[in-house]
Structures are given as C-alpha cells and as structure tokens.
C-alpha cells in the first residue's frame, strides 16, 4: 500500500515480499555501524523482522518505516518513516539507504516527505530523531530537513550516548 509519493520516490508499506531487500539492507556495513546488528541473517529472519517490526507498528500506530522505491523502476533503495520506540517519549523519524543510492538526494526527498506527513497528516507537533555521535551524514540530513540538535541521550547504562534531534511544529512562526 502506497503511503507517500514524491517527485522520484514512492514510500509504501513493507511486505514479506521485501525480504531479500531487507536482508541486504540490515546486513550492509553502514547499517551495522550506525544502526546496529539486528541478528537478521536468513530469509526467514527477515520475514519475521518485517512482520514483527514495520507491519506490527503500522497496525498499532498507523505509521512505520516504509520501503522507499524509485518510481522509474520500482527498485527498492531504502527505508524511511516514523517509529514509536518505548525508549522515546516522541515519535521519531528514521531512514536507511543502501550506499549505492547515497548522494543522490533520495534520503532528503524521503525524509522531507515523511516529516511533512507526520506534521500535516498525522498531526504530530514534535518529531525527534536519534543518531550515533559519529554519523555525520545523518546528522546533516536531519538538520537539512529542519530538525535541530537538542541533547545527548543514553537509553541504558551500557549503551553509548546518542544525539537527539527534534522538530517542534508549534515553535514555527
């Protein structure tokens, strides 16, 4: 099911038909470095990841991480969407793209559309994002779409401190 459309991209719900793409994405070295190892190594585990992650989140909250496809050829290039984590009070925006699609403006296009969707359609007044402290590319993208660095956060004593960015719609004039 299509959720959003931009000039070059379609953002749609993930399905179990996307297992091979998700398996590739979550095992990409950049995902492992900046997002973390989700332990997804097989097609079956990728299917469970989709069902218990994005599909369940959409059923529960009405949003999730969407699959991002290029309109021109329906090739999946990444994921982008909104997430409700137990560890964060606010809804956060997340994205990940295969490295061969970096530097082409796709992440900016998808993240901008997702932020607008969260504000205009879902009525969210505040949207946050988290990044590792060394993920400069994601931090720059978050700032480019309108989020501002707020503070460092730590979710458990043994986890690293992450950068928290926020967009506060009610502060806009």
């Amino acid at each position: 099911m299509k959720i959003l459309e931009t000039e070059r991209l379609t953002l749609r719900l993930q399905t179990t038909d996307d297992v091979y793409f998700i398996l590739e994405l979550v095992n990409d070295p950049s995902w492992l470095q900046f997002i973390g190892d989700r332990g997804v190594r097989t097609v079956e585990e990728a299917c469970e990841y989709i069902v218990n992650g994005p599909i369940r989140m959409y059923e529960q909250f009405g949003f999730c991480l969407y699959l991002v496809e290029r309109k021109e050829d329906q090739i999946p290039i990444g994921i982008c969407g909104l997430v409700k984590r137990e560890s964060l009070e606010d809804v956060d925006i997340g994205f990940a793209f295969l490295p061969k699609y970096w530097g082409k403006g796709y992440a900016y296009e998808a993240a901008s559309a997702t932020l607008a969707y969260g504000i205009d359609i879902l009525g969210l007044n505040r949207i946050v994002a988290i990044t590792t402290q060394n993920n400069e590319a994601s931090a720059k993208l978050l700032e480019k779409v309108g989020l501002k660095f707020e503070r460092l956060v730590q979710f458990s004593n043994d986890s690293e401190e992450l950068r928290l960015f926020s967009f506060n719609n009610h502060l806009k004039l």
Side-chain angles (χ1 to χ4, degrees), residues 6 27 34 61-62 71 75 82 98 107 117 123 134 145 155:
T6 68
N27 287 292
F34 296 121
F61 296 106
K71 280 185 182 177
I75 297 284
L82 299 168
L98 289 175
Y117 179 78
N134 63 341
V145 299
F155 296 122

Side-chain angles (χ1 to χ4, degrees), residues 5-156:
E5 204 169 17
T6 68
E7 183 182 332
R8 301 179 297 163
L9 305 172
T10 299
L11 282 72
R12 65 165 175 82
L13 292 181
Q14 293 181 48
T15 72
T16 53
D17 292 338
D18 300 315
V19 292
Y20 294 102
F21 172 74
I22 293 300
L23 190 60
E24 179 183 4
L25 182 66
V26 302
N27 287 292
D28 183 84
S30 63
W31 176 289
L32 296 171
Q33 177 185 0
F34 296 121
I35 298 172
D37 190 346
R38 298 296 187 250
V40 176
R41 303 286 184 268
T42 66
V43 170
E44 293 77 19
E45 290 169 340
C47 187
E48 288 175 27
Y49 180 84
I50 292 168
V51 169
N52 295 323
I55 292 175
R56 180 174 288 157
M57 183 161 293
Y58 187 79
E59 290 170 351
Q60 187 174 2
F61 296 106
F63 54 78
C64 63
L65 288 170
Y66 306 114
L67 190 88
V68 179
E69 294 177 328
R70 290 191 307 198
K71 280 185 182 177
E72 67 185 67
D73 52 15
Q74 289 78 50
I75 297 284
I77 62 172
I79 58 173
C80 184
L82 299 168
V83 180
K84 181 61 187 106
R85 302 175 203 270
E86 288 182 18
S87 55
L88 287 173
E89 183 178 328
D90 300 293
V91 172
D92 75 294
I93 187 170
F95 49 83
F97 289 79
L98 289 175
K100 63 185 167 187
Y101 300 107
W102 293 0
K104 297 173 175 30
Y106 293 132
Y108 174 76
E109 195 171 320
S112 295
T114 298
L115 186 64
Y117 179 78
I119 295 160
D120 299 337
I121 305 302
L122 300 178
L124 299 172
N125 286 318
R126 180 173 155 86
I127 296 174
V128 300
I130 52 173
T131 69
T132 57
Q133 290 188 56
N134 63 341
N135 191 342
E136 289 304 318
S138 288
K140 285 179 183 173
L141 176 63
L142 291 170
E143 290 173 339
K144 188 175 178 182
V145 299
L147 282 82
K148 305 283 184 241
F149 174 76
E150 190 172 289
R151 68 182 188 274
L152 293 176
V153 294
Q154 190 171 14
F155 296 122
S156 65

